[in-house]
Amino acid sequence: MCLPGTSLIRLDIKHKDQKGFKMAQDTLPITIRGKHLLEAELKKLMLEERPQVIKAIEEARAQGDISENAEYDAAKERQGMIEGRIGEIQGKLAGVEAVDPKTIKSDKIVFGATVEIQDTETEESITYQIVGVDEADVKKSMISIISPIARAMIGKKVGDLITVQSPKGDKEYEILSFKFV
């Protein structure tokens, strides 16, 4: 069951939504921005890349014997990748209701929050936004809700300490602030 204002994508993880209600098993939220990015990628694949690869297959077939035609094989392989990605995106978008982080009201960190944390050892501060799996981009300070650091932050408040396991060992951070933008 989907609550109003939530967005779900099927994945292999269990969690609770922003209001603490248990959500359907194997679902995760996505922001409005993330949904728009997936829709734009789907549109490009269907309206640009799919027709291009079909044309490339036709041109390769026109060259004659396809049994030893490298262009034909490459185009068919590309077609398979495009069709696979189209199916993957369509599956993710089926029934999605996007979450607008600006509308979230919570006194705890939840999906969509932009969180400033400080390494307790080095005192370095960094800000991350917790987003859906498909929209995560560490270079833009956007981390997936299933990342270890995001999972450690969910449900916490300003002043709380979190411990995150990393390849270099456990790291401790203090939550300095969070907001929904």
Side-chain angles (χ1 to χ4, degrees), residues 32-33 35 48 78 84 98 113 116 120 146-147 162:
I32 290 174
R33 179 187 170 279
K35 182 181 179 194
E48 295 175 26
R78 177 80 180 129
E116 182 182 9
T120 57
I146 63 171
S147 69
I162 60 170

Side-chain angles (χ1 to χ4, degrees), residues 7 9 14 20-21 34 60 65 70 80 85 115 124 144 164 170 179:
S7 174
I9 289 188
K14 295 178 186 178
F21 295 103
D65 184 14
R85 183 65 180 151
V115 185
E124 281 185 53
S144 165
V164 179
D170 289 355
K179 57 188 173 185

Side-chain angles (χ1 to χ4, degrees), residues 7-11 26-28 30 35 38-39 42 45-46 82-97 134:
S7 174
L8 307 174
I9 289 188
R10 298 195 178 282
L11 291 175
D26 302 334
T27 58
L28 284 179
I30 188 170
K35 182 181 179 194
L38 284 175
E39 289 171 337
L42 181 62
L45 287 169
M46 294 179 79
I82 290 170
E83 295 302 326
R85 183 65 180 151
I86 287 171
E88 181 182 350
I89 293 171
Q90 287 175 330
K92 288 178 180 181
L93 289 174
V96 167
E97 294 176 43
D134 289 299

Side-chain angles (χ1 to χ4, degrees), residues 53 56-79:
V53 79
I57 291 169
E58 289 171 357
E59 290 172 1
R61 273 195 184 136
Q63 295 176 8
D65 184 14
I66 60 171
S67 63
E68 294 183 23
N69 186 327
E71 289 85 11
Y72 177 79
D73 291 340
K76 287 298 282 184
E77 184 175 329
R78 177 80 180 129
Q79 181 184 35

Side-chain angles (χ1 to χ4, degrees), residues 36 68 70 89 141 174:
H36 290 307
E68 294 183 23
I89 293 171
S141 297
E174 179 182 355

Side-chain angles (χ1 to χ4, degrees), residues 101-128:
K102 294 175 197 163
T103 65
I104 299 172
K105 306 276 188 257
S106 177
D107 62 343
K108 294 180 181 179
I109 297 171
V110 295
F111 174 84
T114 299
V115 185
E116 182 182 9
I117 57 174
Q118 182 179 51
D119 186 317
T120 57
E121 189 176 308
T122 66
E123 296 190 2
E124 281 185 53
S125 295
I126 189 160
T127 301
Y128 291 115

